[in-house]
Amino acid sequence: MATEELNSIAQVLEASLDPRQNKQGEDILRENLTGANVYIRFLAELTLQQQEQRPGYSLALLRIVATEQYSGTIRLAGALCFKNFIKRKWVDEDGNHLLPEQEVTAIKGEIIGLMISVPANIQSQLGDAVGVIADSDFWREWDTLVDDLISRLTPDNTKVNNGVLQVAHSIFKRWRPLFRSDELFTEINHVLAKFSTPFLTLLESTDRSIEQNKDNKAMLTEYVDTLNLLMKLFYDLSCQDLPPLFEENLGGITGLLQKYLAFDNPALHTDTDEESGPLEFLKSSILEVSSLYVQKYGDAFDPQVGTFLQSTWNLLTTIGLETKYDILVSKGLRFLTSVMSNQEHAKTFDSEEAMSQVVEKVALPNLVLRESDLELFEDEPIEFIRRDLEGSDSETRRRAATDFLRSLLAQHDALTTSVVNRYIDHFLGEYTANPAEHWKSKDTAVYLFSSIAAKGVVTAREGVKTVNDRVDVLDFFEKNIANDLIKTQDVQPILKVDAIKYLYTFRSQLSRAQWTTAFPLLVQQLGSSYYVIYTYAAIAVERVLALVDPTGQALVDSKTVTSLSKDLIEHLFRLIEKDQGQDKAQAATKVQENEFLMRCVMRVLIVIREELQLLAEILLNHLIELINLAVLNPSNPRFCYYLFETVGAVVRFATPAQPALVENALYPPFAAILESDNQEFMPYIFQLFAALLEANPTGAIPESFKSLIGPILKVDYWRIRGNVPALVRLLTGLIKRGSAAFVSNNQVAPVLGIFQQLFPSKANEASAFEVLECAFVNFPPPAMQQYYTQLLQMILEKLDKSKSDAFHSRFTRFYHLISAKADDGLGADFFIRLIDAIGSGIYVPMYLTIILPTTPTLARPLDRKTAVISFTKTLTKSQAFANTYKKGWGLTCNRLLELLLNPPVIPSNSANVADDYDVDDMGFGVGFTELVTIRKPSTDYFPDVVVGKEWVGQELSTADAQSNGAIASFVRERLTEDSQKALMGYMQ
């Protein structure tokens, strides 16, 4: 692109980054939400979307990033835009490049050199893009990359070397979470064969350079940064298996690690208590890789463990309490925890003296509440919660110390319990003597007790399931904690939080009767003026409401929740909506800050189910206001997810009784989101529209919903991969409710066009079949007649080429649905006629090699039910099988008998609420995230049929009577004696 075009894109990039701006257009401008800035950003993003369609757009972004004449802000915006573009446009679902090959080659040729040369903040964005490219192309389609990286390494240019190492880390870190596979190890071996020797050479030279530059702060810092990157790569290269060259040189490598674990230089110290420096990061990386080697390569690393243990002990017992050391202390404690997993190493602490030393000098200092923690509690409460919450990703001293104590408990339970209990009694005694002065001592005691009371894995759903039988969790609560919940005054806020967290952690240990008393105490804490207290209360209430006993019954009775629901919900909304300020852009960010409150609202609605109908209008008003704010700037994906799950609960439980109220309230904001092209929310909106249709399956489609048909039949929405599952659900819902409208408006062909668009993609073929099945079942044959041959040709061509079991299974399900619909103008004979119109001799081998062998592998009960109906209708209705495929009649009957040995049992859709709607394990993807509250039930095309021997027998007997005994004669002529006996038994 010419310079003028680059300048034009650069100006648009700058406009798109204004933090005060958001994603809406002229309608928001008219409402004066954020003034002209809103409209400027809207136009900027629209312009960038248009630019994406131009050839060479990605390379233009890289040119902007590379041009130093542009401001750092513009270059960063270019890198961010490039990263997001690559995520969307590099490959399709099947791994095929979406960009022209010439552009793909040019990007690969430019991005490595560019990433090496740019500042760190831009480098990280480009690194993410390199990771995306490597996911699909490395190493087979990018086999020159490692050689390119090695060729750029220099003897003494730290900037270039650090850039090369950062690129390598961006690619190789992908291996860390992956499962072992031949393909993965082929890739790793490809890298190790080339990279291992240059890596070790650079490691040695960096060590020398650090020695040579110990008095040169600038160069020393750069070389320590190099060593830190080398440690990250050392982890990457070792994460799956011990590289042979590393094993050969392990003595020298570990000696270097030990050296820098004890290394110090005042030039590397930071000036503040909060900011970690290069030395802290380096030692943290060394401890992380040491933990890996203890866990995975004990035989090779065991001789070194004692030395590393001593170095880590020295570090942990001498380091300060400043927050800049938090990451280092956490990694040190993680290393000790890893060591404790080995019984031989655990013997180091198997005496009372050693145990007392490690508890007092290592665990306790990192459990004690610090001034910095109290400042975080007051100044950044949401950050305090996220760091403190069990199961979060934050590396905190307290969590690492807790995990270390639990590892001690796992190896020496009696000794650990005894020693820690002495400290618990000591701190509780201090608190009792002077509560006002020593309230922190009680906080420490509670943390210590919680650390040794829990055993095994602490789950997000149920908290602590297994406890230390040497302590009494409930007795400790009653004697030391319950009063902090009951009292409304003269309790330190932190101790309130400790009490709530204790109930949250040990929630599975309380019985239903005990929760009857404890639950109101939790709800009471929502009224606190302290952010952390009411938020932790919301977290605990939500989790407790999800608890069930072994029979699946909720531990907190839904009637109890219903009686509190109106006041509880209104109070939660007040907490969410408070302190918004005057500016709606600021309010949009503020309301999304606390996803825990929104999740609690969601859970209350799930528990009270249909009782929320009394609150429907209030709920809709609040939820629509929150949606209108969130859409201005979707800043917290988790809040937005729980917001739409809450809307889903209203749709599910209120719409069947109040369809007009819910539909009329939600349609305008939903339609506005689609019109604004808000891609983050579109998958949610399409799911909710579909659920609204499904909630009233027999009524005519509302006029407003008819206006959706035209837009969703256009390709624009379908190009966004995250939209596809939700759009399929909405489209099929519209067809089921209003197939006649599609036919009268000549919209059958566009529906089938959607199938043709989706079908070639392996990732979308299941969705394509769902659309096709809906069309076959709901559109009358005359409307479909002209398309049958073309559609089946597409399927047969793919069936011929594909060896995929998944595709064979999906095709078999499609076949059985058509075959089972023999009473509705379809059936096996209908399918045979369509196949014969394409070519003779196709159907029989397809039936024998795909349909019959695949049917027993169908796992879902509904699919097996449809197969039973299909085979039964084939035996009783098909003239082709009666007269032409006589052998096939017998084979079909035998397969049916096999299915009936274990008749499909269709599960009820009225599953337990807490089990059915738990969202702990859900993940946020780049594309589609399912809303669990409106999860689509599997479609049963034969809801009135209960398949089993009785139904099959009745169908056969009826057909036999109608055909003057033909079925019975087929049984005698075409089946073995055993099969005859089995089938005739059904027909009695």
Side-chain angles (χ1 to χ4, degrees):
M1 289 186 179
T3 302
E4 293 80 7
E5 292 176 288
L6 291 182
N7 289 338
S8 175
I9 295 175
Q11 290 175 353
V12 177
L13 287 169
E14 187 173 35
S16 72
L17 268 191
D18 189 331
R20 298 167 299 169
Q21 298 162 0
N22 49 63
K23 298 189 174 182
Q24 303 307 298
E26 292 183 41
D27 53 335
I28 296 173
L29 178 61
R30 286 194 296 268
E31 293 176 16
N32 294 315
L33 299 188
T34 55
N37 288 329
V38 177
Y39 192 45
I40 292 170
R41 180 171 178 176
F42 173 75
L43 292 178
E45 293 191 345
L46 186 62
T47 303
L48 288 174
Q49 290 175 14
Q50 293 168 346
Q51 288 283 352
E52 283 186 6
Q53 310 307 318
R54 299 185 62 183
Y57 171 71
S58 62
L59 296 173
L61 292 175
L62 291 181
R63 303 278 193 283
I64 291 171
V65 173
T67 304
E68 294 184 359
Q69 283 76 14
Y70 292 120
S71 70
T73 300
I74 291 175
R75 295 173 71 195
L76 177 60
L80 183 62
C81 199
F82 175 80
K83 176 188 74 173
N84 292 331
F85 177 80
I86 291 299
K87 284 182 176 180
R88 295 193 309 272
K89 299 290 188 179
W90 187 254
V91 291
D92 62 18
E93 295 87 347
D94 299 322
N96 303 309
H97 288 134
L98 294 172
L99 300 175
E101 270 315 301
Q102 184 177 0
E103 192 169 343
V104 167
T105 303
I107 289 171
K108 291 179 184 177
E110 292 185 21
I111 194 167
I112 302 302
L114 177 58
M115 185 173 169
I116 289 169
S117 66
V118 296
N121 62 337
I122 297 175
Q123 198 174 71
S124 65
Q125 300 299 328
L126 294 179
D128 289 344
V130 169
V132 173
I133 295 170
D135 271 339
S136 65
D137 289 29
F138 186 71
W139 63 281
R140 297 189 188 280
E141 293 184 55
W142 202 3
D143 58 357
T144 61
L145 174 60
V146 179
D147 292 324
D148 185 15
L149 292 173
I150 294 170
S151 71
R152 295 174 186 272
L153 290 172
T154 71
D156 54 9
N157 189 327
T158 54
K159 181 177 181 182
V160 171
N161 288 346
N162 289 354
V164 171
L165 298 177
Q166 187 64 56
V167 173
H169 178 52
S170 297
I171 297 166
F172 304 156
K173 70 181 179 182
R174 298 160 34 253
W175 301 334
R176 295 189 181 194
L178 299 181
F179 291 108
R180 298 167 70 95
S181 68
D182 291 343
E183 183 65 25
L184 173 61
F185 274 81
T186 301
E187 179 181 323
I188 293 174
N189 289 332
H190 165 80
V191 172
L192 291 174
K194 298 171 181 287
F195 199 74
S196 295
T197 298
F199 173 86
L200 291 178
T201 301
L202 184 58
L203 187 63
E204 293 173 2
S205 67
T206 302
D207 177 36
R208 291 194 299 270
S209 297
I210 289 174
E211 289 288 340
Q212 295 163 3
N213 290 274
K214 60 184 178 181
D215 298 322
N216 183 335
K217 180 177 180 178
M219 291 305 300
L220 177 64
T221 301
E222 290 187 16
Y223 280 114
V224 169
D225 286 342
T226 303
L227 187 57
N228 184 34
L229 283 167
L230 286 166
M231 289 301 100
K232 292 179 183 296
L233 279 166
F234 186 53
Y235 192 111
D236 298 337
L237 297 169
S238 306
C239 66
Q240 291 288 340
D241 204 354
L242 180 56
L245 197 58
F246 290 2
E247 187 172 12
E248 292 172 17
N249 293 274
L250 195 57
I253 295 172
T254 55
L256 188 144
L257 298 185
Q258 291 167 12
K259 171 184 175 180
Y260 284 100
L261 196 55
F263 178 77
D264 193 19
N265 188 314
L268 297 173
H269 295 180
T270 57
D271 297 330
T272 69
D273 291 343
E274 292 79 27
E275 183 183 357
S276 300
L279 202 54
E280 287 76 51
F281 290 127
L282 171 61
K283 292 184 179 184
S284 297
S285 295
I286 291 172
L287 286 165
E288 190 171 20
V289 80
S290 301
S291 297
L292 173 73
Y293 269 68
V294 167
Q295 293 165 358
K296 289 182 70 77
Y297 313 119
D299 291 345
F301 195 66
D302 271 359
Q304 317 296 330
V305 169
T307 307
F308 275 87
L309 196 58
Q310 186 61 52
S311 298
T312 305
W313 175 272
N314 293 339
L315 187 151
L316 290 174
T317 54
T318 58
I319 204 165
L321 293 175
E322 294 85 353
T323 55
K324 66 181 177 181
Y325 300 126
D326 284 2
I327 182 71
L328 177 54
V329 171
S330 176
K331 296 296 184 185
L333 288 166
R334 297 289 179 206
F335 173 72
L336 293 184
T337 302
S338 300
V339 171
M340 285 302 302
S341 65
N342 182 296
Q343 288 186 350
E344 285 301 311
H345 298 316
K347 291 178 181 178
T348 306
F349 306 110
D350 66 355
S351 69
E352 185 159 339
E353 181 183 358
M355 183 65 71
S356 298
Q357 286 280 311
V358 77
V359 171
E360 184 168 328
K361 294 187 176 181
V362 174
L364 270 178
N366 297 300
L367 279 174
V368 172
L369 202 64
R370 300 169 299 171
E371 285 303 314
S372 58
D373 298 320
L374 294 176
E375 291 172 6
L376 195 67
F377 180 93
E378 293 287 349
D379 301 335
E380 297 182 66
I382 194 67
E383 183 62 22
F384 177 93
I385 293 163
R386 290 190 176 126
R387 291 187 187 182
D388 185 60
L389 197 61
E390 186 82 48
S392 78
D393 294 331
S394 299
E395 293 277 4
T396 68
R397 292 187 186 225
R398 283 191 145 187
R399 181 166 302 108
T402 296
D403 290 343
F404 175 54
L405 283 174
R406 287 176 182 166
S407 70
L408 289 171
L409 185 72
Q411 296 288 357
H412 312 295
D413 59 344
L415 179 59
T416 305
T417 303
S418 173
V419 170
V420 172
N421 266 333
R422 288 207 308 268
Y423 287 97
I424 292 171
D425 291 341
H426 166 75
F427 287 115
L428 287 176
E430 281 190 345
Y431 171 75
T432 302
N434 191 338
E437 182 71 21
H438 295 299
W439 65 267
K440 291 182 185 178
S441 296
K442 182 174 182 179
D443 171 78
T444 304
V446 173
Y447 260 87
L448 276 173
F449 184 86
S450 297
S451 298
I452 64 164
K455 299 188 78 171
V457 177
V458 182
T459 67
R461 176 162 184 167
E462 297 175 296
V464 173
K465 286 290 291 178
T466 306
V467 296
N468 181 355
D469 57 12
R470 300 176 187 275
V471 299
D472 190 328
V473 170
L474 298 179
D475 181 68
F476 187 84
F477 174 75
E478 291 171 1
K479 290 179 178 177
N480 300 292
I481 293 178
N483 201 43
D484 291 336
L485 280 178
I486 296 169
K487 290 170 64 176
T488 57
Q489 294 179 340
D490 301 325
V491 179
Q492 282 287 337
I494 289 285
L495 296 183
K496 280 277 189 189
V497 172
D498 288 345
I500 297 168
K501 187 179 179 185
Y502 189 92
L503 278 179
Y504 164 78
T505 302
F506 296 102
R507 56 190 179 273
S508 290
Q509 302 305 311
L510 275 68
S511 66
R512 178 178 283 102
Q514 289 164 330
W515 270 121
T516 301
T517 303
F519 184 71
L521 294 177
L522 274 184
V523 173
Q524 179 181 311
Q525 309 311 313
L526 289 168
S528 173
S529 60
Y530 285 94
Y531 190 104
V532 176
I533 292 177
Y534 68 66
T535 300
Y536 242 123
I539 293 167
V541 166
E542 190 278 327
R543 286 291 76 199
V544 170
L545 291 180
L547 280 178
V548 295
D549 64 18
T551 68
Q553 297 301 308
L555 284 184
V556 177
D557 187 66
S558 62
K559 293 179 181 178
T560 301
V561 184
T562 301
S563 66
L564 300 169
S565 59
K566 185 176 186 295
D567 293 339
L568 180 56
I569 288 169
E570 289 188 336
H571 181 69
L572 286 167
F573 277 125
R574 281 196 296 272
L575 293 175
I576 294 169
E577 296 164 357
K578 75 174 189 173
D579 300 330
Q580 291 183 17
Q582 297 300 311
D583 185 275
K584 285 204 172 184
Q586 294 175 353
T589 303
K590 182 65 178 175
V591 298
Q592 295 175 73
E593 178 184 76
N594 195 328
E595 69 267 22
F596 306 108
L597 296 174
M598 195 70 247
R599 178 168 172 161
C600 190
V601 175
M602 175 202 74
R603 178 64 57 189
V604 171
L605 299 191
I606 288 171
V607 170
I608 67 174
R609 295 177 68 99
E610 286 78 7
E611 297 297 331
L612 68 79
Q613 293 169 10
L614 299 174
L615 307 172
E617 192 166 353
I618 295 171
L619 288 166
L620 288 167
N621 289 337
H622 283 292
L623 293 170
I624 290 169
E625 176 63 22
L626 290 174
I627 290 171
N628 289 337
L629 283 172
V631 78
L632 301 179
N633 180 24
S635 56
N636 183 347
R638 288 191 176 274
F639 178 91
C640 294
Y641 167 73
Y642 295 128
L643 171 60
F644 284 110
E645 283 284 14
T646 306
V647 177
V650 175
V651 169
R652 187 178 193 106
F653 297 123
T655 308
Q658 303 163 290
L661 171 67
V662 182
E663 290 169 3
N664 293 338
L666 291 178
Y667 185 86
F670 286 2
I673 289 172
L674 297 184
E675 290 170 9
S676 69
D677 199 32
N678 186 305
Q679 295 184 10
E680 293 95 330
F681 289 174
M682 277 185 185
Y684 294 142
I685 299 306
F686 291 136
Q687 289 179 77
L688 289 162
F689 270 140
L692 284 167
L693 284 170
E694 293 160 3
N696 187 20
T698 58
I701 299 180
E703 287 301 315
S704 55
F705 279 71
K706 289 182 181 178
S707 65
L708 295 172
I709 296 175
I712 68 169
L713 288 176
K714 296 178 181 177
V715 297
D716 295 352
Y717 289 144
W718 295 87
R719 288 197 180 107
I720 303 169
R721 67 181 67 176
N723 285 349
V724 170
L727 277 171
V728 167
R729 181 177 179 182
L730 176 56
L731 177 59
T732 55
L734 287 165
I735 292 171
K736 290 172 185 175
R737 283 277 295 270
S739 59
F742 282 83
V743 174
S744 62
N745 293 323
N746 297 316
Q747 290 172 319
V748 172
V751 169
L752 300 176
I754 297 298
F755 164 79
Q756 291 175 307
Q757 180 182 338
L758 297 176
F759 188 67
S761 165
K762 184 177 180 181
N764 289 329
E765 63 189 21
S767 295
F769 269 119
E770 196 172 342
V771 172
L772 189 64
E773 287 173 348
C774 186
F776 265 78
V777 170
N778 290 281
F779 292 144
M784 294 280 292
Q785 189 65 47
Q786 60 181 310
Y787 309 110
Y788 285 142
T789 300
Q790 182 184 357
L791 293 169
L792 284 179
Q793 267 182 324
M794 284 184 65
I795 295 173
L796 292 175
E797 287 173 8
K798 192 166 186 176
L799 200 62
D800 184 55
K801 297 175 184 177
S802 175
K803 304 302 179 185
S804 163
D805 291 340
F807 182 71
H808 284 185
S809 177
R810 193 62 189 83
F811 170 73
T812 300
R813 288 166 54 192
F814 169 70
Y815 171 84
H816 280 310
L817 176 62
I818 304 306
S819 171
K821 285 284 185 178
D823 297 328
D824 300 312
L826 304 177
D829 288 352
F830 168 82
F831 202 96
I832 292 167
R833 286 196 300 273
L834 297 182
I835 296 294
D836 287 347
I838 297 172
S840 59
I842 296 175
Y843 178 78
V844 171
M846 179 198 76
Y847 191 76
L848 294 177
T849 62
I850 296 176
I851 302 300
L852 287 178
T854 304
T855 298
T857 69
L858 298 177
R860 298 194 319 164
L862 276 174
D863 297 333
R864 295 174 69 84
K865 172 182 176 177
T866 305
V868 169
I869 297 172
S870 164
F871 283 151
T872 304
K873 295 296 183 183
T874 299
L875 297 177
T876 58
K877 302 281 187 180
S878 171
Q879 293 303 307
F881 276 79
N883 302 315
T884 305
Y885 306 132
K886 299 179 181 180
K887 184 177 180 181
W889 196 98
L891 294 172
T892 300
C893 188
N894 287 333
R895 188 63 81 209
L896 173 63
L897 290 171
E898 291 175 16
L899 289 175
L900 290 173
L901 291 175
N902 183 23
V905 178
I906 309 303
S908 169
N909 281 329
S910 59
N912 178 275
V913 174
D915 286 339
D916 195 27
Y917 304 113
D918 203 31
V919 293
D920 294 317
D921 297 326
M922 62 79 57
F924 298 98
V926 174
F928 178 72
T929 299
E930 183 183 36
L931 293 176
V932 180
T933 50
I934 52 167
R935 178 183 288 143
K936 183 183 179 183
S938 298
T939 302
D940 187 350
Y941 283 98
F942 307 93
D944 298 329
V945 176
V946 180
V947 296
K949 297 176 182 179
E950 183 178 344
W951 179 84
V952 171
Q954 183 63 47
E955 288 288 305
L956 290 168
S957 298
T958 301
D960 188 56
Q962 293 173 346
S963 61
N964 296 318
I967 300 297
S969 68
F970 295 161
V971 171
R972 290 190 296 271
E973 296 165 6
R974 302 176 184 181
L975 298 180
T976 65
E977 185 175 342
D978 288 344
S979 297
Q980 289 181 38
K981 184 177 179 181
L983 201 65
M984 291 305 290
Y986 297 167
M987 296 173 62
Q988 297 301 322

